[in-house]
Amino acid sequence: MDELELLKKDWNKQSEYKKLSVNDIYPMLHKKSSSIVKTLFYISIAELVFWILVSAIPYVCSDSYKERLDKIYDSEHLFTIMTLFSFGITILFIYLLFKSHKTISVTDSAKKLMENIIKTRRVIKYYVLYNLIFGGISLIIGFYYALHNDPETAKSMASFGATERTVMYLILFGFASLFILVIWLFYKLIYGLLLKRLNRNYKELQKLEV
């Protein structure tokens, strides 16, 4: 047998091995990816329920607390608008994750699965970025209206000197930064761990496509 025949034989063995590997590995990667997106979907629903409960707190608090909130926010319906906007974005995110899960569940192509993984990663990235930005803006608006529309807060700030006011603003800035950091760590822990697994599946799929 000449060298060319030996080379052909060796090539056929490699092709059979690769085909066997793809047939064995792809179903596992497909199942794992679908399961991860499904888990992300359930987490997003739990998050929506959590924020609904948080937003309902003012409505179950004492009358004096509700009246105080009314004076600060309800004159311009700002609190309601921001809450509805936030819920709308979260519901859109849930829909996109649900759509990704359904798409991955019926995907029978490694290339298509890779594309869906990329889309899912992008959706989560934008959602986390939105929450960080919206959280920061909400705090700034909340502090502004509390300082200008809340009589008790405005009276306390008026009694402060320039140095005390500066210290107070620095404290508020530090609190806002800490709040954003906590949100980032939460998403890093919850969504980050699942995204790492999804990325691992993506890299394995890339190897199969070579």
mmCIF file of all heavy atoms in Angstrom, residues 53-84:
data_model
loop_
_atom_site.group_PDB
_atom_site.id
_atom_site.type_symbol
_atom_site.label_atom_id
_atom_site.label_comp_id
_atom_site.label_asym_id
_atom_site.label_seq_id
_atom_site.Cartn_x
_atom_site.Cartn_y
_atom_site.Cartn_z
ATOM 1 N N LEU A 53 -43.216 43.462 44.296
ATOM 2 C CA LEU A 53 -43.425 43.492 45.747
ATOM 3 C C LEU A 53 -42.789 44.731 46.373
ATOM 4 O O LEU A 53 -43.367 45.361 47.261
ATOM 5 C CB LEU A 53 -42.842 42.220 46.382
ATOM 6 C CG LEU A 53 -43.548 40.909 46.029
ATOM 7 C CD1 LEU A 53 -42.792 39.722 46.617
ATOM 8 C CD2 LEU A 53 -44.992 40.923 46.540
ATOM 9 N N VAL A 54 -41.598 45.096 45.883
ATOM 10 C CA VAL A 54 -40.913 46.289 46.400
ATOM 11 C C VAL A 54 -41.723 47.537 46.088
ATOM 12 O O VAL A 54 -41.890 48.420 46.940
ATOM 13 C CB VAL A 54 -39.495 46.398 45.792
ATOM 14 C CG1 VAL A 54 -38.877 47.764 46.117
ATOM 15 C CG2 VAL A 54 -38.604 45.291 46.336
ATOM 16 N N SER A 55 -42.227 47.631 44.855
ATOM 17 C CA SER A 55 -43.000 48.817 44.469
ATOM 18 C C SER A 55 -44.335 48.903 45.194
ATOM 19 O O SER A 55 -44.936 49.982 45.273
ATOM 20 C CB SER A 55 -43.249 48.803 42.958
ATOM 21 O OG SER A 55 -44.055 47.704 42.591
ATOM 22 N N ALA A 56 -44.791 47.766 45.741
ATOM 23 C CA ALA A 56 -46.072 47.756 46.463
ATOM 24 C C ALA A 56 -45.911 48.190 47.923
ATOM 25 O O ALA A 56 -46.913 48.446 48.600
ATOM 26 C CB ALA A 56 -46.688 46.359 46.414
ATOM 27 N N ILE A 57 -44.677 48.313 48.386
ATOM 28 C CA ILE A 57 -44.422 48.680 49.789
ATOM 29 C C ILE A 57 -45.099 49.995 50.183
ATOM 30 O O ILE A 57 -45.746 50.072 51.243
ATOM 31 C CB ILE A 57 -42.901 48.738 50.066
ATOM 32 C CG1 ILE A 57 -42.317 47.323 50.044
ATOM 33 C CG2 ILE A 57 -42.622 49.408 51.418
ATOM 34 C CD1 ILE A 57 -40.806 47.283 50.218
ATOM 35 N N PRO A 58 -44.972 51.063 49.352
ATOM 36 C CA PRO A 58 -45.618 52.331 49.752
ATOM 37 C C PRO A 58 -47.132 52.216 49.956
ATOM 38 O O PRO A 58 -47.709 52.965 50.745
ATOM 39 C CB PRO A 58 -45.291 53.267 48.578
ATOM 40 C CG PRO A 58 -44.079 52.688 47.953
ATOM 41 C CD PRO A 58 -44.209 51.210 48.115
ATOM 42 N N TYR A 59 -47.758 51.277 49.235
ATOM 43 C CA TYR A 59 -49.209 51.153 49.306
ATOM 44 C C TYR A 59 -49.687 50.393 50.547
ATOM 45 O O TYR A 59 -50.875 50.406 50.861
ATOM 46 C CB TYR A 59 -49.738 50.470 48.044
ATOM 47 C CG TYR A 59 -49.391 51.225 46.790
ATOM 48 C CD1 TYR A 59 -48.312 50.834 46.007
ATOM 49 C CD2 TYR A 59 -50.128 52.339 46.401
ATOM 50 C CE1 TYR A 59 -47.989 51.536 44.850
ATOM 51 C CE2 TYR A 59 -49.803 53.044 45.247
ATOM 52 C CZ TYR A 59 -48.726 52.640 44.478
ATOM 53 O OH TYR A 59 -48.396 53.334 43.352
ATOM 54 N N VAL A 60 -48.757 49.741 51.242
ATOM 55 C CA VAL A 60 -49.131 49.010 52.449
ATOM 56 C C VAL A 60 -48.534 49.641 53.706
ATOM 57 O O VAL A 60 -48.692 49.113 54.801
ATOM 58 C CB VAL A 60 -48.687 47.519 52.355
ATOM 59 C CG1 VAL A 60 -49.408 46.827 51.222
ATOM 60 C CG2 VAL A 60 -47.177 47.398 52.187
ATOM 61 N N CYS A 61 -47.848 50.768 53.498
ATOM 62 C CA CYS A 61 -47.245 51.456 54.645
ATOM 63 C C CYS A 61 -48.274 52.368 55.320
ATOM 64 O O CYS A 61 -49.422 52.472 54.894
ATOM 65 C CB CYS A 61 -46.035 52.278 54.186
ATOM 66 S SG CYS A 61 -44.636 51.255 53.686
ATOM 67 N N SER A 62 -47.836 53.032 56.348
ATOM 68 C CA SER A 62 -48.725 53.922 57.098
ATOM 69 C C SER A 62 -49.178 55.084 56.231
ATOM 70 O O SER A 62 -48.532 55.450 55.252
ATOM 71 C CB SER A 62 -47.990 54.464 58.334
ATOM 72 O OG SER A 62 -46.883 55.258 57.939
ATOM 73 N N ASP A 63 -50.308 55.686 56.605
ATOM 74 C CA ASP A 63 -50.871 56.796 55.837
ATOM 75 C C ASP A 63 -49.926 57.994 55.787
ATOM 76 O O ASP A 63 -49.821 58.675 54.767
ATOM 77 C CB ASP A 63 -52.209 57.228 56.445
ATOM 78 C CG ASP A 63 -53.275 56.156 56.257
ATOM 79 O OD1 ASP A 63 -53.126 55.343 55.328
ATOM 80 O OD2 ASP A 63 -54.246 56.137 57.051
ATOM 81 N N SER A 64 -49.233 58.236 56.877
ATOM 82 C CA SER A 64 -48.323 59.381 56.922
ATOM 83 C C SER A 64 -47.170 59.204 55.933
ATOM 84 O O SER A 64 -46.737 60.160 55.276
ATOM 85 C CB SER A 64 -47.757 59.556 58.334
ATOM 86 O OG SER A 64 -47.059 58.392 58.742
ATOM 87 N N TYR A 65 -46.681 57.964 55.815
ATOM 88 C CA TYR A 65 -45.580 57.696 54.886
ATOM 89 C C TYR A 65 -46.060 57.854 53.446
ATOM 90 O O TYR A 65 -45.353 58.409 52.592
ATOM 91 C CB TYR A 65 -45.037 56.289 55.120
ATOM 92 C CG TYR A 65 -43.881 55.909 54.217
ATOM 93 C CD1 TYR A 65 -42.618 56.463 54.398
ATOM 94 C CD2 TYR A 65 -44.061 55.000 53.182
ATOM 95 C CE1 TYR A 65 -41.559 56.125 53.566
ATOM 96 C CE2 TYR A 65 -43.011 54.644 52.347
ATOM 97 C CZ TYR A 65 -41.762 55.215 52.548
ATOM 98 O OH TYR A 65 -40.718 54.875 51.722
ATOM 99 N N LYS A 66 -47.275 57.374 53.167
ATOM 100 C CA LYS A 66 -47.828 57.492 51.812
ATOM 101 C C LYS A 66 -48.066 58.959 51.452
ATOM 102 O O LYS A 66 -47.823 59.379 50.327
ATOM 103 C CB LYS A 66 -49.141 56.701 51.717
ATOM 104 C CG LYS A 66 -48.913 55.191 51.628
ATOM 105 C CD LYS A 66 -50.190 54.447 51.259
ATOM 106 C CE LYS A 66 -51.151 54.415 52.420
ATOM 107 N NZ LYS A 66 -52.338 53.572 52.123
ATOM 108 N N GLU A 67 -48.536 59.741 52.417
ATOM 109 C CA GLU A 67 -48.754 61.160 52.168
ATOM 110 C C GLU A 67 -47.444 61.875 51.863
ATOM 111 O O GLU A 67 -47.383 62.753 50.994
ATOM 112 C CB GLU A 67 -49.426 61.812 53.378
ATOM 113 C CG GLU A 67 -50.894 61.418 53.544
ATOM 114 C CD GLU A 67 -51.492 61.986 54.811
ATOM 115 O OE1 GLU A 67 -50.792 62.769 55.498
ATOM 116 O OE2 GLU A 67 -52.647 61.647 55.134
ATOM 117 N N ARG A 68 -46.398 61.463 52.556
ATOM 118 C CA ARG A 68 -45.080 62.075 52.329
ATOM 119 C C ARG A 68 -44.569 61.745 50.926
ATOM 120 O O ARG A 68 -44.019 62.609 50.238
ATOM 121 C CB ARG A 68 -44.096 61.573 53.385
ATOM 122 C CG ARG A 68 -42.756 62.299 53.364
ATOM 123 C CD ARG A 68 -41.875 61.839 54.497
ATOM 124 N NE ARG A 68 -40.590 62.511 54.459
ATOM 125 C CZ ARG A 68 -39.586 62.247 55.282
ATOM 126 N NH1 ARG A 68 -39.739 61.321 56.239
ATOM 127 N NH2 ARG A 68 -38.437 62.892 55.182
ATOM 128 N N LEU A 69 -44.759 60.495 50.514
ATOM 129 C CA LEU A 69 -44.345 60.101 49.165
ATOM 130 C C LEU A 69 -45.157 60.848 48.107
ATOM 131 O O LEU A 69 -44.633 61.229 47.055
ATOM 132 C CB LEU A 69 -44.511 58.591 48.969
ATOM 133 C CG LEU A 69 -43.448 57.687 49.592
ATOM 134 C CD1 LEU A 69 -43.771 56.230 49.304
ATOM 135 C CD2 LEU A 69 -42.059 58.029 49.068
ATOM 136 N N ASP A 70 -46.445 61.045 48.394
ATOM 137 C CA ASP A 70 -47.307 61.763 47.459
ATOM 138 C C ASP A 70 -46.791 63.183 47.220
ATOM 139 O O ASP A 70 -46.796 63.680 46.093
ATOM 140 C CB ASP A 70 -48.743 61.822 47.974
ATOM 141 C CG ASP A 70 -49.427 60.459 47.904
ATOM 142 O OD1 ASP A 70 -48.929 59.601 47.150
ATOM 143 O OD2 ASP A 70 -50.437 60.265 48.611
ATOM 144 N N LYS A 71 -46.362 63.824 48.282
ATOM 145 C CA LYS A 71 -45.855 65.185 48.169
ATOM 146 C C LYS A 71 -44.561 65.231 47.347
ATOM 147 O O LYS A 71 -44.317 66.197 46.626
ATOM 148 C CB LYS A 71 -45.587 65.765 49.561
ATOM 149 C CG LYS A 71 -46.844 66.050 50.361
ATOM 150 C CD LYS A 71 -46.487 66.582 51.738
ATOM 151 C CE LYS A 71 -47.744 66.842 52.569
ATOM 152 N NZ LYS A 71 -47.409 67.314 53.938
ATOM 153 N N ILE A 72 -43.753 64.186 47.480
ATOM 154 C CA ILE A 72 -42.460 64.188 46.796
ATOM 155 C C ILE A 72 -42.603 63.832 45.317
ATOM 156 O O ILE A 72 -42.031 64.476 44.443
ATOM 157 C CB ILE A 72 -41.490 63.195 47.472
ATOM 158 C CG1 ILE A 72 -41.232 63.636 48.925
ATOM 159 C CG2 ILE A 72 -40.169 63.120 46.714
ATOM 160 C CD1 ILE A 72 -40.411 62.646 49.717
ATOM 161 N N TYR A 73 -43.382 62.789 45.024
ATOM 162 C CA TYR A 73 -43.408 62.255 43.659
ATOM 163 C C TYR A 73 -44.718 62.444 42.906
ATOM 164 O O TYR A 73 -44.710 62.766 41.720
ATOM 165 C CB TYR A 73 -43.088 60.753 43.679
ATOM 166 C CG TYR A 73 -41.711 60.431 44.181
ATOM 167 C CD1 TYR A 73 -41.532 59.855 45.435
ATOM 168 C CD2 TYR A 73 -40.588 60.693 43.408
ATOM 169 C CE1 TYR A 73 -40.263 59.556 45.906
ATOM 170 C CE2 TYR A 73 -39.317 60.395 43.862
ATOM 171 C CZ TYR A 73 -39.158 59.823 45.110
ATOM 172 O OH TYR A 73 -37.910 59.525 45.576
ATOM 173 N N ASP A 74 -45.832 62.214 43.544
ATOM 174 C CA ASP A 74 -47.088 62.079 42.819
ATOM 175 C C ASP A 74 -47.565 63.365 42.160
ATOM 176 O O ASP A 74 -48.439 63.319 41.289
ATOM 177 C CB ASP A 74 -48.191 61.550 43.737
ATOM 178 C CG ASP A 74 -48.084 60.046 43.932
ATOM 179 O OD1 ASP A 74 -47.128 59.471 43.389
ATOM 180 O OD2 ASP A 74 -48.944 59.464 44.605
ATOM 181 N N SER A 75 -47.018 64.491 42.565
ATOM 182 C CA SER A 75 -47.436 65.735 41.925
ATOM 183 C C SER A 75 -47.119 65.717 40.435
ATOM 184 O O SER A 75 -47.798 66.343 39.634
ATOM 185 C CB SER A 75 -46.737 66.933 42.581
ATOM 186 O OG SER A 75 -45.324 66.777 42.487
ATOM 187 N N GLU A 76 -46.080 64.992 40.029
ATOM 188 C CA GLU A 76 -45.709 64.905 38.623
ATOM 189 C C GLU A 76 -45.807 63.465 38.124
ATOM 190 O O GLU A 76 -45.347 63.142 37.026
ATOM 191 C CB GLU A 76 -44.292 65.444 38.425
ATOM 192 C CG GLU A 76 -44.138 66.906 38.816
ATOM 193 C CD GLU A 76 -42.736 67.422 38.560
ATOM 194 O OE1 GLU A 76 -42.092 66.953 37.616
ATOM 195 O OE2 GLU A 76 -42.295 68.300 39.310
ATOM 196 N N HIS A 77 -46.387 62.605 38.916
ATOM 197 C CA HIS A 77 -46.572 61.200 38.556
ATOM 198 C C HIS A 77 -45.248 60.527 38.154
ATOM 199 O O HIS A 77 -45.245 59.569 37.395
ATOM 200 C CB HIS A 77 -47.582 61.054 37.409
ATOM 201 C CG HIS A 77 -48.891 61.746 37.676
ATOM 202 N ND1 HIS A 77 -49.793 61.260 38.605
ATOM 203 C CD2 HIS A 77 -49.420 62.876 37.162
ATOM 204 C CE1 HIS A 77 -50.847 62.078 38.638
ATOM 205 N NE2 HIS A 77 -50.643 63.051 37.789
ATOM 206 N N LEU A 78 -44.158 61.071 38.664
ATOM 207 C CA LEU A 78 -42.846 60.563 38.266
ATOM 208 C C LEU A 78 -42.614 59.136 38.743
ATOM 209 O O LEU A 78 -42.117 58.287 37.994
ATOM 210 C CB LEU A 78 -41.747 61.485 38.819
ATOM 211 C CG LEU A 78 -40.318 61.155 38.396
ATOM 212 C CD1 LEU A 78 -40.163 61.314 36.890
ATOM 213 C CD2 LEU A 78 -39.330 62.045 39.121
ATOM 214 N N PHE A 79 -42.984 58.884 39.976
ATOM 215 C CA PHE A 79 -42.756 57.558 40.558
ATOM 216 C C PHE A 79 -43.497 56.480 39.759
ATOM 217 O O PHE A 79 -42.942 55.429 39.442
ATOM 218 C CB PHE A 79 -43.214 57.552 42.021
ATOM 219 C CG PHE A 79 -42.973 56.261 42.732
ATOM 220 C CD1 PHE A 79 -41.706 55.917 43.174
ATOM 221 C CD2 PHE A 79 -44.018 55.366 42.953
ATOM 222 C CE1 PHE A 79 -41.487 54.710 43.823
ATOM 223 C CE2 PHE A 79 -43.805 54.162 43.594
ATOM 224 C CZ PHE A 79 -42.526 53.833 44.039
ATOM 225 N N THR A 80 -44.748 56.762 39.400
ATOM 226 C CA THR A 80 -45.557 55.798 38.641
ATOM 227 C C THR A 80 -44.977 55.570 37.252
ATOM 228 O O THR A 80 -44.885 54.431 36.777
ATOM 229 C CB THR A 80 -47.005 56.292 38.508
ATOM 230 O OG1 THR A 80 -47.544 56.493 39.812
ATOM 231 C CG2 THR A 80 -47.852 55.274 37.767
ATOM 232 N N ILE A 81 -44.572 56.648 36.581
ATOM 233 C CA ILE A 81 -44.011 56.547 35.230
ATOM 234 C C ILE A 81 -42.736 55.712 35.230
ATOM 235 O O ILE A 81 -42.552 54.824 34.386
ATOM 236 C CB ILE A 81 -43.744 57.949 34.653
ATOM 237 C CG1 ILE A 81 -45.063 58.679 34.406
ATOM 238 C CG2 ILE A 81 -42.943 57.849 33.355
ATOM 239 C CD1 ILE A 81 -44.899 60.138 34.034
ATOM 240 N N MET A 82 -41.848 55.987 36.176
ATOM 241 C CA MET A 82 -40.579 55.251 36.252
ATOM 242 C C MET A 82 -40.818 53.774 36.563
ATOM 243 O O MET A 82 -40.145 52.896 36.015
ATOM 244 C CB MET A 82 -39.672 55.882 37.314
ATOM 245 C CG MET A 82 -39.151 57.245 36.931
ATOM 246 S SD MET A 82 -38.146 57.997 38.234
ATOM 247 C CE MET A 82 -36.755 56.872 38.289
ATOM 248 N N THR A 83 -41.770 53.497 37.443
ATOM 249 C CA THR A 83 -42.080 52.111 37.801
ATOM 250 C C THR A 83 -42.622 51.341 36.604
ATOM 251 O O THR A 83 -42.190 50.225 36.314
ATOM 252 C CB THR A 83 -43.100 52.060 38.949
ATOM 253 O OG1 THR A 83 -42.566 52.750 40.095
ATOM 254 C CG2 THR A 83 -43.407 50.624 39.334
ATOM 255 N N LEU A 84 -43.573 51.945 35.880
ATOM 256 C CA LEU A 84 -44.162 51.301 34.711
ATOM 257 C C LEU A 84 -43.125 51.090 33.607
ATOM 258 O O LEU A 84 -43.106 50.054 32.941
ATOM 259 C CB LEU A 84 -45.330 52.134 34.174
ATOM 260 C CG LEU A 84 -46.576 52.189 35.062
ATOM 261 C CD1 LEU A 84 -47.614 53.132 34.460
ATOM 262 C CD2 LEU A 84 -47.175 50.794 35.251
#
